[in-house]
Amino acid sequence: MKLSVKLIIVLLFAAQSFAQKNLDPTVEDIKKAKSLRDTYSKDDVAILQSEENISFGLNKDKSKVTVTNSINELLMNINHRADISKYEFYDSESKIETFNLKYRNDKIANYHIIDEFYKDNDLFYNDARVKHMSFDFPVQGYTYKYEMEKKYDDVKYFTSLFFNDEFPVIKKTINISVPEWLNVELKEFNFEGIKIVKSQKKDVKAKTTVYTFTLENVPAYYKEESTPGRSYLYPHILIIAKSFKNDGKEVTLFNSAADLYKWYKSLVDLMKDDTSVFKDKVTELTSNAKTDEEKIKNIYYWVQDNIRYIAFEDGIAGFKPDESNNVFQKRYGDCKGMANLIKQMLILAGFDARLTWIGTKHIAYDYTTPSLAVDNHMICTLFYKGKKYFLDGTEKFNSFGQYAERIQNKEVMIEDGDKFIIEKVPSTVAAFNKESREMTLSVENEKLTGSVSRTYQGESAAQFLYIFNSFKNDKKSETLENYLSKSDKNINVDNIKTSDLKNRDQKLSIDYSIVVSNKVTGFDNDIYIDLEFMNEYKNFELKDRKTDYEFDFKTNYESTVTLNIPQGYKVTKIPQDLVVKEANFDVSITFQNKGNAIVYKKVFQFKNGVIKASEMDKWNTFIKNLANNYNQQITLSK
């Protein structure tokens, strides 16, 4: 009996050792991992091979085109060890048939797979689910095989194929098998300057054409903040299913923008708005208004102030607006529901208002591409006195006629009965968003004391109001003081007076007193003054950045500090000026000795709301020079 137990233990140990040998990386694997690590030093894992296969079919009643999307990957750890996750999303229009991980010997790696609703702070409720699993690579060169197969019930929801991944891909192959009965456009984006090998082959027996795209040494997605949307950055293919043949008849899908609008309109036609629910509120908002414009503003601002924005995605509700009466009664809605409420309230007040689809700045496409990937947002368009006004209820502090940067210069699709109107949202210049600070200071007891006046316009005002309204009501004054002093213990702010912070149509202003310590030093007959204590953009170096840096909006910031020279003193040294002019940013730091005062002026202007990747070296050089400039002192002598 004891011998049998020992024999079993020996056999088990031998089997385990044999299995482990089949899993351990080979000498060649380790060599390859080290080589890849030299190339992709910021990544822990590389995908040695990725093959993606797409095929199309018909559902049971042949009314919809279905899609099968399968992925096979060979993953390798190129660092000493790594822990990663693989995940795949699906929803009511799709399902995941296969989701597994295998060892190099093709045996299933039994890591725990979690299947759950996708949670996001910005989504109140959605039907998106995610399958995911976490696993580890114990040593360098270790490999796994990943397999996934996903099926879509309707081709319109299958929009794009990207070559890049979370990890670098050494060889990426995409095979798209298109049957003869399907008319599909494979629209290429960002292929310029990239060596993507393309081929097509007819399979006469299967009556299909297989389109193959291959790309090698594909870098991982850039892990950088404030980047353009990925549709601007990475090579990808949009799948546009235009029509299909069924029993000899041609069935149109998304062949043009008109077909896209027709489908959107079919969802709008499903709505059953009961405007009687908010009739009294509309009367209340408009009865005392002196002009039509005041009526419009009262309705628009009421929705901004009283309807909480919460994204709502649940099957068809991800595209169909909620009824206006529901949004009004619940006091929350997504962009579609809020746009519809603004529309219905304005119509009730006697105005011409219409639903409008738009893709935000994050999306590279326009309506020449008929796809659900084209837009991701909905607003309301008001036709008033021969002009069109675009009303976005999700922008909480925008004034009437003001448009957020994220929708400026973007195409919109406006409902017009059975037809539609394509327009562009107007764009503004940086001066529209001007923020200014004027400060007058004097030297008192080795401190800088004086007054400050700040003004905000356009999106700088909206941004400030957003920040201010995020403060807790019982601590607004205290938090505003901290905000204005940048929470610097050497800066004391007092006697704060503001314009009406509830009035969106008025220039926003803040006036206050200020005392700054540790910036004045006296020695014998000299006074040394460090006049820089706000340090705008001082640490804004964009080191090793590969993509454009996008600001929230076009910026025009101006600061003017007037320092009164103490009686009996003269200026013996002031810092040097610093002036930079580039295609997308202008900066000017100047000092002037004007009679009994020194005027220190700073102007930062980001004309297009972006620092281009091609400008990063110039920008970083400027930041180093700016830091040196900020460290210079003014010298006053008796």
Side-chain angles (χ1 to χ4, degrees):
M1 184 67 177
K2 287 181 181 179
L3 185 62
S4 298
V5 171
K6 286 182 179 179
L7 181 61
I8 291 170
I9 292 172
V10 169
L11 290 172
L12 285 173
F13 180 78
Q16 188 177 12
S17 299
F18 178 75
Q20 190 64 38
K21 284 181 181 179
N22 287 342
L23 303 183
D24 285 341
T26 64
V27 173
E28 290 76 15
D29 287 337
I30 296 171
K31 185 178 178 181
K32 188 175 188 67
K34 288 180 178 179
S35 174
L36 291 172
R37 182 65 177 169
D38 290 339
T39 304
Y40 303 104
S41 58
K42 293 184 178 181
D43 297 287
D44 293 331
V45 171
I47 301 172
L48 300 184
Q49 297 175 6
S50 174
E51 183 171 325
E52 193 159 359
N53 294 290
I54 295 91
S55 60
F56 303 90
L58 289 170
N59 64 351
K60 287 184 180 179
D61 62 5
K62 297 184 177 181
S63 62
K64 294 180 181 179
V65 176
T66 61
V67 184
T68 300
N69 178 205
S70 65
I71 297 174
N72 290 278
E73 295 177 348
L74 177 60
L75 301 130
M76 173 179 276
N77 172 31
I78 61 176
N79 207 341
H80 296 296
R81 64 167 290 116
D83 297 279
I84 69 167
S85 297
K86 291 294 286 185
Y87 50 87
E88 188 65 37
F89 294 95
Y90 67 104
D91 54 31
S92 59
E93 295 292 339
S94 60
K95 53 184 176 290
I96 297 175
E97 302 279 352
T98 304
F99 185 76
N100 63 44
L101 198 70
K102 291 181 177 178
Y103 294 114
R104 63 183 299 146
N105 61 6
D106 283 329
K107 290 189 176 180
I108 293 290
N110 288 311
Y111 288 99
H112 182 50
I113 297 174
I114 299 173
D115 187 342
E116 61 185 356
F117 280 108
Y118 174 61
K119 302 177 183 70
D120 190 302
N121 292 333
D122 295 327
L123 297 176
F124 173 68
Y125 178 82
N126 71 99
D127 72 333
R129 294 186 66 90
V130 58
K131 275 192 176 186
H132 59 100
M133 58 179 158
S134 298
F135 51 97
D136 67 297
F137 295 80
V139 292
Q140 191 174 40
Y142 202 84
T143 58
Y144 287 105
K145 297 175 182 178
Y146 169 69
E147 297 176 347
M148 192 283 300
E149 184 175 278
K150 182 176 178 180
K151 292 193 174 179
Y152 294 81
D153 296 333
D154 191 333
V155 68
K156 70 165 65 77
Y157 299 104
F158 183 71
T159 58
S160 54
L161 291 164
F162 280 78
F163 288 86
N164 298 73
D165 198 278
E166 185 180 357
F167 311 105
V169 185
I170 309 310
K171 185 176 182 180
K172 173 76 174 184
T173 302
I174 297 176
N175 300 306
I176 305 171
S177 182
V178 181
E180 289 180 354
W181 49 264
L182 179 64
N183 177 17
V184 63
E185 179 184 0
L186 307 178
K187 196 166 184 177
E188 301 169 3
F189 288 85
N190 305 325
F191 274 37
E192 301 83 5
I194 298 176
K195 294 181 181 179
I196 297 175
V197 179
K198 298 184 288 185
S199 66
Q200 64 183 74
K201 185 179 179 181
K202 279 202 170 187
D203 186 331
V204 178
K205 188 175 181 181
K207 296 182 179 180
T208 61
T209 301
V210 179
Y211 299 87
T212 299
F213 302 80
T214 303
L215 179 59
E216 295 184 352
N217 301 315
V218 190
Y221 289 131
Y222 299 118
K223 299 173 180 67
E224 299 175 339
E225 294 181 351
S226 302
T227 65
R230 67 174 187 162
S231 56
Y232 292 95
L233 298 175
Y234 307 110
H236 63 284
I237 304 164
L238 278 193
I239 311 295
I240 305 171
K242 296 190 168 187
S243 63
F244 69 95
K245 290 179 182 177
N246 179 21
D247 296 330
K249 293 182 180 180
E250 189 88 8
V251 180
T252 301
L253 297 172
F254 286 165
N255 192 44
S256 66
D259 300 318
L260 183 64
Y261 175 72
K262 184 178 179 181
W263 186 71
Y264 283 157
K265 186 179 182 299
S266 72
L267 301 182
V268 172
D269 291 342
L270 294 173
M271 295 190 301
K272 297 179 181 179
D273 289 288
D274 181 5
T275 58
S276 65
V277 170
F278 46 82
K279 184 179 180 181
D280 290 344
K281 174 56 69 175
V282 171
T283 300
E284 175 193 326
L285 293 170
T286 59
S287 58
N288 294 324
K290 296 176 182 178
T291 64
D292 282 348
E293 187 169 312
E294 189 178 343
K295 292 178 183 179
I296 294 164
K297 288 179 179 180
N298 288 348
I299 290 171
Y300 181 34
Y301 297 163
W302 184 89
V303 173
Q304 285 186 348
D305 291 341
N306 294 277
I307 304 300
R308 185 184 174 199
Y309 169 69
I310 308 177
F312 187 95
E313 297 180 8
D314 180 20
I316 205 167
F319 298 93
K320 172 185 169 293
D322 194 7
E323 279 78 2
S324 54
N325 44 291
N326 292 337
V327 178
F328 178 81
Q329 289 175 320
K330 294 183 297 187
R331 292 293 199 269
Y332 67 77
D334 66 358
C335 63
K336 299 178 294 296
M338 295 176 81
N340 187 40
L341 178 58
I342 294 171
K343 168 191 169 179
Q344 299 299 342
M345 291 180 82
L346 286 172
I347 289 174
L348 207 56
F351 298 101
D352 182 0
R354 310 182 192 183
L355 294 178
T356 302
W357 293 264
I358 183 172
T360 62
K361 187 179 177 181
H362 194 70
I363 293 176
Y365 324 118
D366 58 30
Y367 285 103
T368 59
T369 302
S371 168
L372 294 184
V374 172
D375 47 50
N376 61 345
H377 191 40
M378 182 177 277
I379 58 178
C380 172
T381 300
L382 170 70
F383 288 65
Y384 177 62
K385 290 187 176 180
K387 289 182 65 177
K388 298 180 185 69
Y389 294 87
F390 303 100
L391 311 180
D392 187 347
T394 68
E395 293 293 339
K396 289 299 183 185
F397 303 104
N398 276 10
S399 61
F400 177 61
Q402 175 186 328
Y403 310 124
E405 179 72 26
R406 68 189 184 123
I407 67 170
Q408 287 182 26
N409 206 37
K410 292 292 294 182
E411 272 193 355
V412 293
M413 177 182 275
I414 307 168
E415 64 176 340
D416 189 30
D418 290 332
K419 298 180 180 179
F420 59 94
I421 300 168
I422 299 293
E423 288 273 357
K424 265 193 177 182
V425 177
S427 185
T428 58
V429 296
F432 184 82
N433 303 318
K434 187 171 182 178
E435 177 186 348
S436 64
R437 184 187 63 168
E438 293 188 3
M439 187 180 306
T440 303
L441 300 174
S442 299
V443 178
E444 294 183 11
N445 301 320
E446 294 197 341
K447 292 182 180 180
L448 296 173
T449 65
S451 60
V452 184
S453 180
R454 299 174 75 157
T455 60
Y456 303 81
Q457 296 172 229
E459 289 210 65
S460 70
Q463 184 183 68
F464 174 83
L465 288 173
Y466 182 85
I467 293 168
F468 179 77
N469 283 277
S470 69
F471 301 161
K472 292 182 179 179
N473 287 331
D474 60 340
K475 293 187 177 180
K476 267 187 164 47
S477 297
E478 179 186 340
T479 312
L480 181 57
E481 285 181 19
N482 290 334
Y483 174 79
L484 296 174
S485 68
K486 301 185 75 170
S487 298
D488 188 335
K489 64 181 180 180
N490 293 310
I491 301 175
N492 182 59
V493 168
D494 201 3
N495 301 319
I496 300 172
K497 295 178 183 178
T498 70
S499 58
D500 182 1
L501 297 183
K502 293 183 179 179
N503 189 338
R504 294 167 177 76
D505 302 317
Q506 185 183 72
K507 183 186 285 188
L508 194 156
S509 64
I510 307 173
D511 299 313
Y512 53 94
S513 302
I514 191 169
V515 178
V516 185
S517 305
N518 289 345
K519 294 295 177 180
V520 179
T521 305
F523 186 76
D524 291 339
N525 293 322
D526 296 321
I527 298 175
Y528 302 94
I529 301 172
D530 182 357
L531 205 50
E532 182 52 62
F533 50 86
M534 296 306 289
N535 294 306
E536 296 94 339
Y537 299 99
K538 181 178 181 180
N539 298 312
F540 200 63
E541 187 177 6
L542 300 170
K543 194 175 181 181
D544 299 326
R545 191 174 176 93
K546 303 297 182 185
T547 63
D548 298 350
Y549 183 94
E550 291 193 340
F551 294 90
D552 292 336
F553 49 85
K554 302 179 191 78
T555 302
N556 185 332
Y557 173 78
E558 188 174 299
S559 168
T560 304
V561 181
T562 301
L563 174 67
N564 294 318
I565 300 172
Q567 192 171 3
Y569 282 82
K570 64 179 181 179
V571 179
T572 52
K573 183 184 177 183
I574 58 174
Q576 292 182 334
D577 294 346
L578 175 61
V579 178
V580 176
K581 289 185 177 294
E582 296 294 342
N584 288 290
F585 60 90
D586 290 346
V587 182
S588 173
I589 314 291
T590 60
F591 295 83
Q592 285 184 296
N593 186 359
K594 290 188 174 182
N596 295 321
I598 294 173
V599 179
Y600 173 33
K601 188 170 183 177
K602 292 176 286 187
V603 178
F604 292 86
Q605 188 171 197
F606 298 96
K607 295 169 279 190
N608 300 304
V610 64
I611 302 172
K612 291 287 186 180
S614 58
E615 298 173 309
M616 288 302 162
D617 288 343
K618 292 178 180 178
W619 173 258
N620 291 327
T621 298
F622 158 70
I623 288 295
K624 290 175 183 176
N625 293 334
L626 180 68
N628 292 333
N629 188 280
Y630 280 174
N631 289 331
Q632 295 181 75
Q633 289 183 318
I634 293 169
T635 305
L636 305 179
S637 302
K638 278 189 177 181

